[in-house]
Amino acid sequence: MTSVLRLESVSHQFDGIRVVDDLTLEIGRGEVVCLLGPSGCGKTTALRIAAGLETLQAGRVLMGDTEVASPDRQIPPEQRGIGLVFQDYALFPHLSVADNVAFGLTEFAKPVQREKALTELRRVGMDSAAEKYPHELSGGQQQRVALARALAPNPHIILLDEPYSGLDSALRAQVRDDVLHLLKESGAATLMVTHDPEEAMFMADRIAVMRDGRIVQHGSPQTLYCYPNSAFVAGFFGEVNSFTGLVRDGHVETPIGQVAAEGVPDGLRATVIMRPEGLRVTTLQAGQSDYTARVMQARLLGRSSLIHLHVQSGENGSMKEWHFHSRMPGIFLPDAGTRLRIEFDLGQIFVFPAQEG
Ligand code: ATP
C-alpha cells in the first residue's frame, strides 16, 4: 500500500504528561481508518498533529512523499491539502451555506466557485439550502454542509473528529451512511476519531485501538472483534462478562463451564471474557443439572433479548454467587426464577493472563 498519510513514531506531551506515545499509522488512498479509544487516550491530539493544528514534538508526519511535520519543520494546516470536519461543525455563521462551501475554493473564479459549491451540496443533499445561513439548519444539516465544505477542494486526506456526536441516533445512522459513501466515492484517505466502537466498525476499513496514548491493537473490524489481543480490546467492543480464575491442567473452571486457557501457564490466574451473545440459554431437560442458571430478569432490547442470570457455584459451605448476562436473538423473555441451562460459543470467549491490581 502506498500511504497517503503516515504518522511515524509520533509522541506528544502536555505539561510533561505524555498523551501520544510512539504512534505509527498509515492510511492509503480510498481507505477509512478509525482511531478508537476511551476519552482522554490521545485520539484528538493525534488527529490535530496530523492536521498541523498541534505543533509536532517528536516523530514525523508524511503526506505522500512529502514530510509535512518534523520537530524542526512544520507546514501550516492550510497548505497541507486536507479536509477537516470537527464535532462542532465550525461553519462560518456570517456566510451562507453556499459561501461556506465555496470558502476553500479561492483558486477558482467566483462563478466556478459557486458552481462547484452547488455540486458538492447536491452530493450531500443540501443544495436546496444553499442560500440559508448555518443557524437556520439542524445539526444534521450543518454536519452535511461541513462535510461538503471539507470535500469541495477534492482533498487527498480527510480528517474527521467525532463527526456525528452532536446528532441523535436516527440522524446519526443516516448521516454516517451518507458520509461513508461520499468518502469512498471521493477516494480520499480518511482518518476518523471516535470513542464509539459500533461507529468505528461501521465506517472503518481498519481500526487502531488506543489506550493511554498508544495503539494497543490495529486491524480490520473483524480481526479486532473476533481476535482481540487483550481484555481491554475485547471489552471495548461492547459489554462483556468477565471472570478471573486459576489455571489448572490448561483450563479455567468458571461457574458456567470449563474453558481452555491457551497461553496462560498452570498456576497463574487468567481472565475469561465472555460476550453476552456467546452465552446461550436453553430450557433445562430432565436429568440436566450441570451449569445451570436462574433468570433474574429478561428485557427486550429490540433485535435481541438480554437475560440477567444468577449462578451459584462452589462446594457446599463455600457457595459463591455470580451475575452473568446472556444476549439471545429475537424475543426470548423467560420468567424470573426460571432455571435454564447455559452453553457457550467458544468463538466468543477469550482468555488472557489476569492483570492483577
Ligand atoms: P476525547 O474522546 O475525550 O476527546 P481524546 O482521546 O481525543 O479524548 P485528547 O483530546 O487527545 O483525548 O486528550 C488527551 C489528553 O491530553 C487528555 O488528558 C487531555 O486532557 C489532554 N489535553 C488535550 N489537549 C490539551 C491541551 N491543549 N493542554 C493540556 N492538556 C491537553
Side-chain angles (χ1 to χ4, degrees):
M1 179 187 73
T2 323
S3 62
V4 177
L5 172 65
R6 181 172 163 81
L7 280 75
E8 212 174 272
S9 304
V10 168
S11 293
H12 201 83
Q13 299 190 354
F14 286 118
D15 309 321
I17 298 169
R18 191 171 272 219
V19 300
V20 176
D21 191 0
D22 197 21
L23 182 139
T24 294
L25 186 67
E26 55 187 338
I27 307 165
R29 190 182 134 72
E31 244 198 331
V32 178
V33 174
C34 281
L35 275 179
L36 172 70
S39 182
C41 72
K43 312 178 291 292
T44 295
T45 305
L47 190 92
R48 287 174 57 83
I49 290 170
L53 296 169
E54 204 68 65
T55 305
L56 184 90
Q57 297 172 352
R60 6 189 247 156
V61 179
L62 290 116
M63 293 183 172
D65 294 330
T66 311
E67 187 180 79
V68 295
S70 68
D72 43 33
R73 188 178 125 88
Q74 306 269 346
I75 294 185
E78 62 278 11
Q79 289 172 24
R80 293 192 185 188
I82 47 178
L84 286 169
V85 183
F86 290 105
Q87 46 187 302
D88 58 2
Y89 323 133
L91 297 177
F92 302 115
H94 58 288
L95 295 183
S96 70
V97 162
D99 288 344
N100 259 282
V101 178
F103 186 80
L105 303 173
T106 43
E107 71 207 83
F108 299 103
K110 280 273 174 215
V112 181
Q113 283 182 23
R114 184 166 172 82
E115 194 187 310
K116 284 185 173 290
L118 289 177
T119 304
E120 216 55 57
L121 283 167
R122 214 167 291 126
R123 284 172 72 189
V124 297
M126 288 298 295
D127 47 321
S128 60
E131 303 318 321
K132 290 193 172 175
Y133 283 81
H135 72 270
E136 297 175 273
L137 306 179
S138 71
Q141 291 170 328
Q142 289 188 47
Q143 191 58 302
R144 283 161 197 245
V145 175
L147 191 81
R149 187 178 61 177
L151 289 171
N154 274 330
H156 296 305
I157 298 168
I158 304 266
L159 304 176
L160 307 168
D161 189 359
E162 303 270 7
Y164 318 118
S165 59
L167 311 177
D168 67 46
S169 62
L171 196 56
R172 187 181 315 155
Q174 174 68 56
V175 174
R176 75 182 180 188
D177 188 49
D178 296 345
V179 171
L180 176 63
H181 299 304
L182 284 170
L183 290 173
K184 285 292 178 186
E185 249 173 60
S186 80
T190 303
L191 178 60
M192 178 176 132
V193 158
T194 178
H195 63 271
D196 178 343
E198 199 196 303
E199 197 141 283
M201 292 179 93
F202 185 93
M203 293 292 295
D205 298 302
R206 284 186 292 124
I207 298 175
V209 180
M210 280 184 81
R211 184 184 198 184
D212 298 336
R214 298 186 77 91
I215 293 178
V216 291
Q217 193 173 2
H218 180 191
S220 68
Q222 193 189 347
T223 301
L224 297 194
Y225 191 79
C226 299
Y227 307 100
N229 66 3
S230 64
F232 172 80
V233 173
F236 204 76
F237 282 87
E239 186 229 353
V240 291
N241 298 293
S242 174
F243 174 83
T244 299
L246 199 63
V247 180
R248 282 202 196 100
D249 300 327
H251 289 83
V252 188
E253 184 69 35
T254 82
I256 53 173
Q258 215 182 45
V259 179
E262 250 171 66
V264 189
D266 280 9
L268 293 188
R269 292 177 73 73
T271 296
V272 182
I273 302 285
M274 308 173 197
R275 293 220 158 91
E277 51 272 39
L279 296 191
R280 293 200 208 96
V281 281
T282 52
T283 314
L284 202 60
Q285 305 295 323
Q288 287 180 333
S289 60
D290 57 334
Y291 305 129
T292 64
R294 189 169 51 75
V295 175
M296 298 164 76
Q297 292 178 42
R299 294 272 190 276
L300 180 63
L301 300 183
R303 292 184 196 95
S304 64
S305 304
L306 188 74
I307 302 120
H308 297 253
L309 298 165
H310 178 262
V311 180
Q312 276 194 326
S313 75
E315 301 299 319
N316 284 344
S318 66
M319 291 299 264
K320 272 189 159 180
E321 314 216 332
W322 307 93
H323 179 182
F324 286 94
H325 286 172
S326 159
R327 196 187 270 258
M328 296 286 284
I331 302 178
F332 181 77
L333 300 170
D335 291 334
T338 311
R339 190 157 282 283
L340 297 173
R341 183 156 199 271
I342 305 183
E343 289 166 9
F344 47 65
D345 167 3
L346 287 173
Q348 308 247 30
I349 295 198
F350 311 101
V351 181
F352 304 103
Q355 305 278 320
E356 304 295 356

